[in-house]
Amino acid sequence: MPELPDVVVYLEALEVDEDEFRAALTGRNRTLKRALCDPTVFSGIGNAYSDEILFHAGLSPVQRTGNLDPDEVARLYEATRTTLVDWTERHRQAVGGGFPDKVTAFHDDMAVHGKYGQPCPECSVAVQRIVYADNEVNYCPQCQTDGRILADRSLSRLLKDDWPRSIDDLED
Ligand SMILES: [Zn+2]
């Protein structure tokens, strides 16, 4: 008989209460972006949705899960639910059923994902990005990072070899 793979428990973010959500999210101390995108923590949240969730929660993508206060956990929990419900509904109306787990491309109706340089729908400040590998994190510096620019393209060129190649590298 072939060896069985390790059993991985996937949590559906829409099926957990706030306590379970916090426990799953903060199981390891790492960036919010990485925790939300980790398919072994929550299934169905990819790069696009995690950008949208963090925007609606008003939290930085590089904030550590270990630094969340109860109010921030509550905001993240609500933002996760409303974002996933909203996009599931949009997807149903568009193609008739199923969860849009393949939405990794940009979508015009998203607030910050794929909107680098465009005005934030809440505050009109230009959406920023952190580029890594062939992907990028989008966020609003006004709504999410207290006005701080985490990184931009010119900075990434300056840093060259030091620039994060993956979301994992953002943690160092
Ligand atoms: Zn904003």
Side-chain angles (χ1 to χ4, degrees):
M1 261 180 68
E3 196 174 333
L4 291 170
D6 290 339
V7 174
V8 178
V9 177
Y10 294 96
L11 268 181
E12 279 294 350
L14 291 175
E15 294 173 359
V16 296
D17 64 24
E18 193 175 320
D19 285 342
E20 293 166 328
F21 178 85
R22 182 184 57 243
L25 193 73
T26 61
R28 290 166 56 194
N29 185 24
R30 49 190 175 170
T31 63
L32 285 178
K33 177 69 182 180
R34 184 157 176 237
L36 287 173
C37 289
D38 185 346
T40 67
V41 176
F42 300 113
S43 60
I45 303 178
N47 191 42
Y49 296 129
S50 59
D51 279 355
E52 295 297 293
I53 289 167
L54 288 166
F55 170 74
H56 290 296
L59 293 171
S60 166
V62 297
Q63 178 165 346
R64 292 265 173 173
T65 56
N67 294 339
L68 291 169
D69 65 30
D71 175 61
E72 289 170 334
V73 171
R75 274 154 50 200
L76 199 56
Y77 179 66
E78 279 308 308
T80 299
R81 298 180 69 81
T82 54
T83 299
L84 295 182
V85 167
D86 178 42
W87 283 97
T88 301
E89 185 55 33
R90 286 168 189 262
H91 186 71
R92 278 204 190 101
Q93 288 172 3
V95 301
F99 189 79
D101 59 345
K102 294 299 182 194
V103 175
T104 52
F106 305 148
H107 191 291
D108 275 352
D109 290 341
M110 288 192 162
V112 292
H113 182 74
K115 301 287 185 172
Y116 172 66
Q118 296 180 45
C120 165
E122 292 293 327
C123 73
S124 298
V125 165
V127 169
Q128 297 298 314
R129 67 181 176 183
I130 308 167
V131 178
Y132 63 97
D134 57 353
N135 228 329
E136 68 183 57
V137 181
N138 296 119
Y139 66 97
C140 171
Q142 179 81 4
C143 297
Q144 293 176 254
T145 58
D146 298 322
R148 281 179 298 122
I149 306 292
L150 300 176
D152 63 19
R153 202 171 192 181
S154 56
L155 180 59
S156 77
R157 276 199 296 269
L158 277 176
L159 289 171
K160 290 198 174 79
D161 289 348
D162 292 335
W163 193 247
R165 295 253 186 322
S166 72
I167 198 76
D168 291 356
D169 294 333
L170 288 175
E171 311 230 316
D172 298 324

